Amino acid sequence: MKKALSILSAFITATLITFMLSGFVYAFHEGGVGYCEGCHIQHNPEIAQINDTDLNANARMYMLRGPDPSSTCLLCHAGQGKLYNVLSGDGSIYTPGGDFYWLKKTFTFIVNNMPYKSDGDSHGHNVVASDYGLREDQAMTSASGGVYSAAAMGCTSCHNAHGTTTGNSGNTRAISISGSYGETAPDGTIAGNFRLLGGAGYSGGNQAGVAFIYPAPVAVANSKNWTETDSNHTAYGSGMSEWCGNCHSDLLSSGNKHPADNSSKLGSAVISNYNSYVRTGDVSGIKATAYLSLVPFESGTTDKTLLDPSSTSGPDMGGNANVMCLTCHRAHAAAFQHLGRWDFQTTFLADSHPQEGDGGVTGNEITHSYYGRNIVAEFGGYQRQLCNKCHQRD
């Protein structure tokens, strides 16, 4: 009877999670964090996915439902058809952050009689989720431009599952709503961080000795549709690159690096370029319809009420818009090397890999690689690198 009740309890809990997540996306994470038993097994350890290997010592310690933190997150956030998922089985998730599916895909191809490879390890942040076949980066032992260990990389490296806004310490006021969608918190309460990202002082999940310096970025997304398009996208306000710099500190420094932070203002010439650029050979665009989700920008504001995720407008002339890390890269993973929003390794985007004939290509991956866009139909066969959206050197 006790065993039957334990199984029934697990079923009811899983059903409640599914039910809650099927409505508003922030139902479970409302207020920044879900109920404890959504992620932890408190009094029924026999039904938890825990075993006695060293790999799962962390899961045993925290009584997680999965064998590691990321596997626990993916119990709800993996699969097709749900807007809040981040791992599909075919590359079909079009969220701004990207689909962790691409970490599993390595493509091989021949160019000018030379063999090339686009390795899955180079496609994203290699989160460790043993239940889902996701492993640590095999090429790098730590974060580029930083010291964060590849072996410790997981969902909670960036996202604070408990939702505090001041790192690991408690809050002076209750978190009443998600911080991702721009709502105003009721009097006496506060909104959580955007996407539950760790704030200043956060420990970085599994990485001992790491303390975030920079706060979570200011941004607003659509609460009911995470499919990224030119008219439905995250509206970035400020602080994105600084927050990335918590782990990739050297990439914020000056030198032979593309500037990307709150001080890297676009300038009038770049703003004019962005707003007029439509495609290679066409600079007839106007500001009202200039936004391109493949090349997003940060508006430079800390006021969430000024951020509109449905806006198709380019940056304001004379404003505070700046380039950021996510202007060119995705936060989770992409079909292309270096987490690229587009293929950085080819002259013409029509020649992007994956493409027909490449080793490793399956299903609709070519279509999914550019989020359902037909690059040739939309931009032409001779569209050059999207750096030209700002620089117009094509």
Side-chain angles (χ1 to χ4, degrees):
M1 178 63 72
K2 181 181 292 185
K3 183 175 182 180
L5 289 174
S6 296
I7 294 173
L8 179 61
S9 174
F11 173 78
I12 292 172
T13 299
T15 301
L16 285 172
I17 293 173
T18 302
F19 174 75
M20 293 177 77
L21 286 172
S22 66
F24 286 106
V25 70
Y26 47 86
F28 179 70
H29 288 296
E30 189 171 12
V33 61
Y35 55 89
C36 299
E37 283 210 355
C39 301
H40 302 275
I41 300 294
Q42 298 182 67
H43 300 297
N44 298 297
E46 67 271 20
I47 63 173
Q49 298 183 45
I50 298 173
N51 59 43
D52 293 325
T53 67
D54 290 338
L55 174 66
N56 296 300
N58 199 41
R60 294 199 311 277
M61 180 184 301
Y62 297 111
M63 298 182 291
L64 296 175
R65 288 186 173 273
D68 51 63
S70 294
S71 291
T72 301
C73 296
L74 291 173
L75 286 171
C76 290
H77 291 283
Q80 267 82 277
K82 299 295 185 182
L83 64 96
Y84 48 78
N85 286 345
V86 296
L87 172 65
S88 74
D90 60 1
S92 60
I93 289 174
Y94 296 170
T95 66
D99 191 337
F100 283 120
Y101 169 80
W102 301 111
L103 297 176
K104 301 181 178 183
K105 297 298 298 189
T106 292
F107 304 110
T108 58
F109 45 93
I110 303 293
V111 177
N112 295 327
N113 297 318
M114 294 290 292
Y116 290 88
K117 180 170 71 171
S118 180
D119 196 281
D121 277 343
S122 72
H123 292 164
H125 281 104
N126 291 268
V127 295
V128 177
S130 59
D131 268 2
Y132 295 85
L134 297 176
R135 62 179 187 177
E136 69 181 86
D137 196 314
Q138 302 298 293
M140 302 181 66
T141 59
S142 62
S144 56
V147 298
Y148 197 99
S149 170
M153 186 66 196
C155 299
T156 55
S157 298
C158 299
H159 303 277
N160 185 343
H162 293 141
T164 55
T165 60
T166 53
N168 295 319
S169 62
N171 298 296
T172 56
R173 290 181 291 168
I175 300 175
S176 60
I177 59 173
S178 167
S180 299
Y181 311 113
E183 309 101 322
T184 300
D187 289 346
T189 69
I190 57 175
N193 287 347
F194 177 74
R195 293 290 185 243
L196 281 79
L197 295 176
Y202 182 57
S203 66
N206 292 333
Q207 177 65 76
V210 169
F212 284 16
I213 299 173
Y214 299 101
V218 176
V220 171
N222 184 331
S223 66
K224 298 180 182 179
N225 185 356
W226 293 6
T227 299
E228 184 185 72
T229 68
D230 293 343
S231 59
N232 184 69
H233 53 84
T234 299
Y236 297 98
S238 59
M240 191 71 246
S241 292
E242 282 77 4
W243 184 83
C244 295
N246 283 315
C247 291
H248 301 281
S249 55
D250 288 355
L251 300 186
L252 283 182
S253 62
S254 59
N256 297 320
K257 304 177 181 70
H258 194 294
D261 56 24
N262 288 341
S263 65
S264 303
K265 303 307 179 186
L266 297 184
S268 58
V270 170
I271 291 172
S272 178
N273 289 344
Y274 190 103
N275 289 336
S276 64
Y277 189 90
V278 178
R279 61 182 66 88
T280 294
D282 183 351
V283 290
S284 63
I286 59 173
K287 176 180 176 291
T289 56
Y291 187 88
L292 180 61
S293 63
L294 292 173
V295 192
F297 57 88
E298 207 166 47
S299 64
T301 183
T302 59
D303 186 349
K304 290 185 179 181
T305 66
L306 300 178
L307 299 175
D308 180 6
S310 67
S311 173
T312 61
S313 177
D316 293 329
M317 186 64 72
N320 294 313
N322 57 268
V323 66
M324 58 174 175
C325 298
L326 299 188
T327 297
C328 302
H329 304 280
R330 293 200 181 277
H332 287 165
F336 313 115
Q337 295 183 62
H338 310 301
L339 296 85
R341 287 180 176 268
W342 65 90
D343 187 352
F344 300 153
Q345 310 299 318
T346 186
T347 299
F348 301 116
L349 295 192
D351 297 327
S352 297
H353 296 276
Q355 62 177 249
E356 290 292 343
D358 287 357
V361 172
T362 58
N364 294 315
E365 290 171 346
I366 297 170
T367 297
H368 295 326
S369 68
Y370 275 111
Y371 279 40
R373 291 178 184 265
N374 184 319
I375 290 296
V376 174
E378 184 174 348
F379 294 96
Y382 299 101
Q383 172 64 47
R384 294 179 181 268
Q385 290 281 308
L386 290 176
C387 305
N388 288 290
K389 180 68 169 167
C390 292
H391 299 292
Q392 289 193 27
R393 293 292 187 269
D394 56 354

mmCIF file of all heavy atoms in Angstrom, residues 230 275 277-278 285-292 312-314 389:
data_model
loop_
_atom_site.group_PDB
_atom_site.id
_atom_site.type_symbol
_atom_site.label_atom_id
_atom_site.label_comp_id
_atom_site.label_asym_id
_atom_site.label_seq_id
_atom_site.Cartn_x
_atom_site.Cartn_y
_atom_site.Cartn_z
ATOM 1 N N ASP A 230 10.371 38.293 -36.418
ATOM 2 C CA ASP A 230 10.674 39.726 -36.436
ATOM 3 C C ASP A 230 9.625 40.544 -35.676
ATOM 4 O O ASP A 230 9.899 41.675 -35.277
ATOM 5 C CB ASP A 230 10.764 40.234 -37.882
ATOM 6 C CG ASP A 230 11.948 39.648 -38.637
ATOM 7 O OD1 ASP A 230 12.863 39.117 -37.981
ATOM 8 O OD2 ASP A 230 11.954 39.717 -39.884
ATOM 9 N N ASN A 275 18.642 50.520 -40.028
ATOM 10 C CA ASN A 275 17.266 50.836 -40.403
ATOM 11 C C ASN A 275 17.025 50.807 -41.908
ATOM 12 O O ASN A 275 15.903 50.567 -42.355
ATOM 13 C CB ASN A 275 16.868 52.196 -39.833
ATOM 14 C CG ASN A 275 16.683 52.157 -38.320
ATOM 15 O OD1 ASN A 275 16.420 51.101 -37.748
ATOM 16 N ND2 ASN A 275 16.835 53.301 -37.666
ATOM 17 N N TYR A 277 18.930 48.848 -44.103
ATOM 18 C CA TYR A 277 19.382 47.588 -44.696
ATOM 19 C C TYR A 277 18.258 46.555 -44.707
ATOM 20 O O TYR A 277 17.674 46.226 -43.679
ATOM 21 C CB TYR A 277 20.568 47.031 -43.900
ATOM 22 C CG TYR A 277 21.257 45.855 -44.548
ATOM 23 C CD1 TYR A 277 22.314 46.054 -45.438
ATOM 24 C CD2 TYR A 277 20.865 44.554 -44.270
ATOM 25 C CE1 TYR A 277 22.961 44.978 -46.040
ATOM 26 C CE2 TYR A 277 21.504 43.473 -44.858
ATOM 27 C CZ TYR A 277 22.545 43.686 -45.740
ATOM 28 O OH TYR A 277 23.185 42.612 -46.341
ATOM 29 N N VAL A 278 17.968 46.019 -45.877
ATOM 30 C CA VAL A 278 16.982 44.958 -46.035
ATOM 31 C C VAL A 278 17.675 43.638 -46.357
ATOM 32 O O VAL A 278 17.408 42.609 -45.749
ATOM 33 C CB VAL A 278 15.965 45.294 -47.145
ATOM 34 C CG1 VAL A 278 14.964 44.152 -47.340
ATOM 35 C CG2 VAL A 278 15.237 46.592 -46.827
ATOM 36 N N GLY A 285 15.097 50.028 -46.759
ATOM 37 C CA GLY A 285 14.315 49.822 -45.559
ATOM 38 C C GLY A 285 14.007 51.103 -44.802
ATOM 39 O O GLY A 285 14.650 52.144 -44.990
ATOM 40 N N ILE A 286 12.993 51.020 -43.924
ATOM 41 C CA ILE A 286 12.628 52.139 -43.060
ATOM 42 C C ILE A 286 12.634 51.672 -41.607
ATOM 43 O O ILE A 286 12.485 50.476 -41.309
ATOM 44 C CB ILE A 286 11.247 52.711 -43.420
ATOM 45 C CG1 ILE A 286 10.166 51.617 -43.291
ATOM 46 C CG2 ILE A 286 11.253 53.301 -44.825
ATOM 47 C CD1 ILE A 286 8.736 52.143 -43.473
ATOM 48 N N LYS A 287 12.790 52.598 -40.691
ATOM 49 C CA LYS A 287 12.918 52.296 -39.274
ATOM 50 C C LYS A 287 11.741 51.484 -38.743
ATOM 51 O O LYS A 287 11.923 50.555 -37.952
ATOM 52 C CB LYS A 287 13.053 53.594 -38.483
ATOM 53 C CG LYS A 287 13.106 53.414 -36.968
ATOM 54 C CD LYS A 287 13.246 54.760 -36.279
ATOM 55 C CE LYS A 287 13.213 54.609 -34.757
ATOM 56 N NZ LYS A 287 11.867 54.199 -34.289
ATOM 57 N N ALA A 288 10.524 51.790 -39.188
ATOM 58 C CA ALA A 288 9.326 51.164 -38.631
ATOM 59 C C ALA A 288 9.291 49.652 -38.823
ATOM 60 O O ALA A 288 8.660 48.932 -38.040
ATOM 61 C CB ALA A 288 8.078 51.785 -39.246
ATOM 62 N N THR A 289 9.972 49.156 -39.844
ATOM 63 C CA THR A 289 9.962 47.716 -40.128
ATOM 64 C C THR A 289 11.378 47.151 -40.222
ATOM 65 O O THR A 289 11.598 46.104 -40.834
ATOM 66 C CB THR A 289 9.215 47.433 -41.440
ATOM 67 O OG1 THR A 289 9.810 48.194 -42.507
ATOM 68 C CG2 THR A 289 7.742 47.797 -41.319
ATOM 69 N N ALA A 290 12.334 47.802 -39.601
ATOM 70 C CA ALA A 290 13.746 47.436 -39.769
ATOM 71 C C ALA A 290 14.206 46.287 -38.879
ATOM 72 O O ALA A 290 15.242 45.678 -39.147
ATOM 73 C CB ALA A 290 14.636 48.654 -39.510
ATOM 74 N N TYR A 291 13.458 45.955 -37.821
ATOM 75 C CA TYR A 291 13.931 44.952 -36.872
ATOM 76 C C TYR A 291 14.116 43.597 -37.548
ATOM 77 O O TYR A 291 13.243 43.113 -38.271
ATOM 78 C CB TYR A 291 12.959 44.799 -35.699
ATOM 79 C CG TYR A 291 13.497 43.892 -34.614
ATOM 80 C CD1 TYR A 291 14.287 44.399 -33.593
ATOM 81 C CD2 TYR A 291 13.255 42.520 -34.636
ATOM 82 C CE1 TYR A 291 14.800 43.569 -32.604
ATOM 83 C CE2 TYR A 291 13.769 41.682 -33.658
ATOM 84 C CZ TYR A 291 14.542 42.210 -32.649
ATOM 85 O OH TYR A 291 15.062 41.380 -31.691
ATOM 86 N N LEU A 292 15.270 42.974 -37.306
ATOM 87 C CA LEU A 292 15.571 41.643 -37.819
ATOM 88 C C LEU A 292 15.956 40.765 -36.643
ATOM 89 O O LEU A 292 16.953 41.036 -35.955
ATOM 90 C CB LEU A 292 16.710 41.707 -38.843
ATOM 91 C CG LEU A 292 17.147 40.381 -39.467
ATOM 92 C CD1 LEU A 292 15.995 39.732 -40.239
ATOM 93 C CD2 LEU A 292 18.353 40.588 -40.374
ATOM 94 N N THR A 312 8.452 45.995 -34.433
ATOM 95 C CA THR A 312 9.233 45.720 -35.640
ATOM 96 C C THR A 312 10.170 46.885 -35.958
ATOM 97 O O THR A 312 10.792 46.908 -37.014
ATOM 98 C CB THR A 312 8.312 45.465 -36.842
ATOM 99 O OG1 THR A 312 7.512 46.633 -37.074
ATOM 100 C CG2 THR A 312 7.415 44.262 -36.604
ATOM 101 N N SER A 313 10.274 47.819 -35.031
ATOM 102 C CA SER A 313 11.063 49.028 -35.264
ATOM 103 C C SER A 313 12.554 48.788 -35.047
ATOM 104 O O SER A 313 12.957 48.027 -34.161
ATOM 105 C CB SER A 313 10.592 50.139 -34.331
ATOM 106 O OG SER A 313 11.381 51.306 -34.476
ATOM 107 N N GLY A 314 13.356 49.470 -35.837
ATOM 108 C CA GLY A 314 14.782 49.486 -35.620
ATOM 109 C C GLY A 314 15.145 50.454 -34.507
ATOM 110 O O GLY A 314 14.265 51.069 -33.892
ATOM 111 N N LYS A 389 24.151 44.109 -41.609
ATOM 112 C CA LYS A 389 22.972 44.818 -41.107
ATOM 113 C C LYS A 389 23.390 46.087 -40.385
ATOM 114 O O LYS A 389 22.676 47.108 -40.433
ATOM 115 C CB LYS A 389 22.182 43.896 -40.168
ATOM 116 C CG LYS A 389 20.918 44.513 -39.565
ATOM 117 C CD LYS A 389 19.826 44.781 -40.584
ATOM 118 C CE LYS A 389 18.510 45.146 -39.914
ATOM 119 N NZ LYS A 389 17.532 45.696 -40.852
#
